[in-house]
Amino acid sequence: MGAFAGFIMLSIVFTGMAIFQSASQEKKDKIAEIILSSLTPADLMQGKIIGYFVLGLIQAVVSITLVLPIIAWRVDISILQYLLVPELAFYIAIAILGYLLFASIFVGVGATMADVSTAGNFQGMVMMLPFLPFIFIGPVLSDPNGFMAQIGSYIPFTSPGVLLLRLTSLEEWPWMEIAISLMILIISVWFFMKLAGKIFKVGILMYGKNATPAEIWKWIRA
C-alpha cells in the first residue's frame, strides 16, 4: 500500500504540472480569447480541473492495469490482497483533495505567465509546492506519530502526501489528527479555488509579461 500511495502522489504532481503548462500555453497561443467567446473564465477553469482529473484517472487506471500483472508474475505476493482493502477509498479521497488543491493553484498561476520558459521566481516557487511532502519522507518513516509527521499533516501543501505516507505506515490511525488534517485540507481547497478564480479571470487575458506578486494581489483584492 505504501508504493501505491506513492504512485498516487506522483500522479497528483504530474497532472498538476500539466494543468500549469496548459493554462500558460493557451494564453501564449491566444487560444483562450477564442474559448472565452463561448465560455466564462470560471467555466474554463473548472473544465480544465475536471478534464485533467479525468485524464489523470484514466492514466492511473491504465498504468495499474498494465503494471499489476507484471508485478504479480515477478513477485510471489498477492498484490490484490493488499490493494483491495476498505482503506483504499480513504486514500483515494485524500489524493483527490490534494489534486484539487494543487490544480486550483496551478491553473491560477499558469494564467499569470506569458510563457512557461520565462517563469519568474514567484511562479518557480509555486511549481515546487507539490514536492514539499518529500521533505517529510525521512521523519515520517522513522516516526509516523512524531512531531514532524504531525506538522506535515497540518500544512495544506504537504498534508496529502504526509497523510498517505503516515496511514500506510501505522497500524492504529490517529483519528483526531486525521479529522483536523482533512478539515484544514478541505478549507484550503475551497480558499484556493476562490483565489484561483479571481486570478484566472484577469490573468488569462493579460499578455506580454508574467504578472508580479503585487499585480496578482491587486487582482485578488479587486
Side-chain angles (χ1 to χ4, degrees):
M1 287 304 297
F4 182 71
F7 177 78
I8 291 176
M9 197 61 224
L10 288 175
S11 298
I12 293 172
V13 172
F14 291 127
T15 306
M17 295 297 293
I19 293 179
F20 190 96
Q21 294 174 351
S22 171
S24 179
Q25 190 65 36
E26 285 183 3
K27 180 177 174 178
K28 177 185 176 184
D29 296 339
K30 298 188 177 179
I31 299 175
E33 290 182 349
I34 301 173
I35 298 174
L36 290 175
S37 64
S38 304
L39 298 173
T40 65
D43 290 337
L44 178 57
M45 187 187 80
Q46 292 169 8
K48 281 183 174 297
I49 292 174
I50 295 172
Y52 274 94
F53 170 73
V54 174
L55 177 62
L57 188 62
I58 293 173
Q59 291 176 338
V61 170
V62 171
S63 300
I64 292 172
T65 303
L66 293 175
V67 171
L68 277 183
I70 299 174
I71 296 177
W73 173 58
R74 297 298 299 270
V75 182
D76 189 20
I77 298 176
S78 179
I79 304 296
L80 293 179
Q81 179 181 349
Y82 289 94
L83 284 181
L84 299 180
V85 293
E87 293 88 346
L88 180 61
F90 194 62
Y91 297 152
I92 293 175
I94 294 173
I96 291 174
L97 287 174
Y99 167 78
L100 292 175
L101 175 66
F102 289 118
S104 61
I105 295 172
F106 280 157
V107 76
V109 174
T112 69
M113 299 175 58
D115 190 347
V116 175
S117 61
T118 61
N121 293 332
F122 171 71
Q123 287 87 356
M125 287 189 293
V126 171
M127 292 173 67
M128 297 304 296
L129 287 178
F131 297 97
L132 289 179
F134 293 100
I135 299 174
F136 291 86
I137 289 179
V140 172
L141 289 178
S142 61
D143 187 3
N145 279 321
F147 178 73
M148 289 295 293
Q150 293 178 15
I151 292 297
S153 300
Y154 297 145
I155 301 173
F157 305 123
T158 61
S159 179
V162 172
L163 273 180
L164 287 173
L165 191 59
R166 288 186 68 190
L167 297 184
T168 55
S169 304
L170 292 171
E171 294 184 0
E172 294 186 7
W173 288 1
W175 287 107
M176 182 60 69
E177 293 178 22
I178 294 172
I180 295 173
S181 300
L182 289 179
M183 185 61 64
I184 293 173
L185 190 54
I186 291 170
I187 293 173
S188 299
V189 169
W190 175 84
F191 177 74
F192 282 104
M193 281 279 190
K194 298 289 286 186
L195 288 186
K198 291 187 175 183
I199 295 170
F200 188 86
K201 183 178 180 180
V202 181
I204 197 66
L205 294 175
M206 188 187 78
Y207 298 99
K209 68 183 185 70
N210 295 338
T212 64
E215 289 173 326
I216 295 173
W217 176 241
K218 288 181 181 179
W219 302 344
I220 293 173
R221 292 184 63 187

